Amino acid sequence: MELRQTALDTRHLFEPPAAPPVAPAHVIASESEALEIARTLAGEFRAGASDRDRERRLPWSELDRFSRSGLWGITVPRTYGGAGVSNAVLAEVIATISAADGSLGQIPQNHFYALEVLRVGGSPEQQQAFFARTLAGERFGNALAEIGARDFQRRTRLLREAEGWFLEGDKFYCTGALYAHWIPTLAMAEEEGGLVSHLVFVPREAEGVEVVDDWDGFGQRTTGSGTVRFRRVRVEPDWVVPFGASFERATTIGPVAQIMHAAIDLGIGREAYADMLAFVKARARPWIDSGTERAVDDPLTIREVGEVHVRLRAAEALLRRAGRIVDQAQGKMTEDSVAEASIAVAEARIATTKAGLLAATKLFELSGTSSTLAEDNHDRHWRNVRTHTLHDPVRWKYQAVGRYHLTGKRPPRHGAL
């Protein structure tokens, strides 16, 4: 059955079907303000991060504080009242929060992803309505992925019937959906010529929506990345944004999604490195053959600390560079500019993956057995970065980068490079 965009009825966009935020959000005006607020919040969130991870205590109050701060609205374009920050600043904000708490840093990733989908493919009316909701403090989660099949084909359906439009399906890895006001959901609709994908903005409290807190990964424990079920959930046409069409042409949806993933890994790596330095200085012992009295004077320890530092610095530089290139592509989206942005972000993701894992591993290698004590919970850094870096495989990024530089072949446009 053909699915057509109908004239927007803005009543549905402005009625509040989602649960309201705890309090109105602050509206951030500049990049410097965004970075300052992120650093302040990171100091607050760091204090309870280990306990939240250990006890798997969901960060409801922290998330309310996070969204009320205005940071969840920083990518809203200036023409709609937001700060419209650069991608490098967005990445640094996410890295800063991720250093304090890896789960908290990941939760808004799909929120910003949805905002980019709206910016690229939403109608002016949809942009106006959903950007306003964002600035007011509402949060978007996600229901994109599905499990149970190897072909990556989505089975969730958007059905257009005589009595209305309905959503049917099951999703998993739904990071942020548990805490969201809206759940952007990837669904297939039968149209002339076959199935076409759409992103459906579903109110979290809509009848027929069930969010199940069944995420039990050993890392990123409090991201709420579990199951969402949709059972004949009624949706309005003006909540539906074209999705597949945004990848048929060159857009920056993929690079923006990926640069945030890189930032999460960088942030976790930074914190692992900081904890390693503190432990080596205060508690580690030098190896008996070093001839030194303190671990900080052990020459092999010094060498390894330098290695981790350089890897993290290189990852930071590649991430900032990628941010600039994505900014340029957003300003003029062409086949070439988007390909360059995708490759730049892939290079950064390779670096942040390797640096984050290295930092989390060296924390134990250089600190010694006492660093594995449960009371310190230092293993959360390795668990978090190992879990998150599995989001999409680095081995495929290497071949995309190599092929691009060797032959000029552009990378695929699917958002998971």
Side-chain angles (χ1 to χ4, degrees), residues 10 36 47 108 113 117 156 193 212 235 239 244 252 283 290 309 380:
T10 56
E36 181 181 357
Y113 179 81
V117 173
T156 299
V212 184
V235 299
W239 297 344
T252 50
R283 296 166 60 183
S290 68
H309 178 86
R380 74 185 187 278

Side-chain angles (χ1 to χ4, degrees), residues 21 31 38 55 59 78 140 185 205 208 271 400:
E31 294 188 339
E55 301 165 12
R78 290 184 177 276
F140 301 148
T185 303
E205 301 299 322
E271 193 74 359

Side-chain angles (χ1 to χ4, degrees), residues 169-250:
D170 297 331
K171 298 286 188 176
F172 194 62
Y173 300 120
C174 300
T175 300
L178 186 66
Y179 312 106
H181 299 91
W182 295 79
I183 305 175
T185 303
L186 185 56
M188 308 301 292
E190 191 173 337
E191 301 185 18
E192 185 177 349
L195 292 173
V196 177
S197 61
H198 298 271
L199 196 66
V200 185
F201 284 71
V202 182
R204 166 69 172 81
E205 301 299 322
E207 184 177 354
V209 175
E210 181 186 10
V211 180
V212 184
D213 181 24
D214 57 352
W215 169 246
D216 63 351
F218 65 63
Q220 299 298 82
R221 288 176 169 174
T222 62
T223 56
S225 302
T227 296
V228 179
R229 301 188 182 106
F230 301 97
R231 297 294 179 264
R232 199 165 174 77
V233 178
R234 189 182 187 97
V235 299
E236 300 298 336
D238 42 3
W239 297 344
V240 179
V241 178
F243 188 79
S246 295
F247 288 94
E248 292 169 1
R249 58 193 175 98

Side-chain angles (χ1 to χ4, degrees), residues 279-292:
F279 201 101
V280 170
K281 290 176 182 178
R283 296 166 60 183
R285 295 182 296 179
W287 182 239
I288 55 177
D289 295 327
S290 68
T292 65

Side-chain angles (χ1 to χ4, degrees), residues 377-389:
N377 198 24
H378 286 319
D379 60 296
R380 74 185 187 278
H381 301 311
W382 185 90
R383 288 187 286 100
N384 287 342
V385 73
R386 179 66 281 180
T387 298
H388 183 259
T389 52

